[in-house]
Amino acid sequence: MATGQTYDKTFKREAVNLVHTSGKSQRQVAEDLGIAMSTLSRWCSELAANGERAFVGSGNLQPEAEEMRRLRRENDVLRQERDILKKALTIFSHP
């Protein structure tokens, strides 16, 4: 396996499917596909845990993580706006 190799969602699903349907061990399937055993094991775990939401891709987040990121960003903007208003109030309240 080449370092930094990326695999698409379809390949990952098919690899996991082979583990479940071929009668071969994860190790044998990994060797047959030319991928690391740990990689295939991680894919199996991810698919089992996340089902259809597994393998979102590089740079893409699960919906919950994306929502959390959006809310944190919004919270940062609101804090900045609040701080600006506090400073403005301080400036304009002094004679």
Side-chain angles (χ1 to χ4, degrees):
M1 178 180 89
T3 304
Q5 178 70 37
T6 58
Y7 301 96
D8 67 6
K9 182 185 241 183
T10 303
F11 180 84
K12 293 175 183 180
R13 287 183 182 278
E14 289 297 321
V16 173
N17 188 45
L18 278 174
V19 170
H20 294 119
T21 61
S22 69
K24 296 181 180 181
S25 67
Q26 276 189 10
R27 181 170 309 285
Q28 185 60 51
V29 171
E31 287 175 10
D32 291 348
L33 295 174
I35 59 176
M37 166 68 181
S38 60
T39 300
L40 182 57
S41 180
R42 187 176 66 248
W43 293 348
C44 290
S45 297
E46 185 174 344
L47 187 60
N50 298 315
E52 288 300 314
R53 297 184 313 173
F55 317 127
V56 293
S58 177
N60 298 316
L61 301 174
Q62 294 286 352
E64 296 85 2
E66 179 61 37
E67 177 70 2
M68 182 66 78
R69 186 171 129 199
R70 185 189 68 74
L71 290 171
R72 283 186 177 137
R73 211 172 324 140
E74 183 179 325
N75 203 14
D76 287 342
V77 169
L78 291 172
R79 279 192 187 112
Q80 290 172 1
E81 290 174 351
R82 180 203 62 202
D83 291 345
I84 289 169
L85 289 173
K86 280 183 179 179
K87 289 176 185 177
L89 182 62
T90 302
I91 291 169
F92 291 117
S93 64
H94 292 287

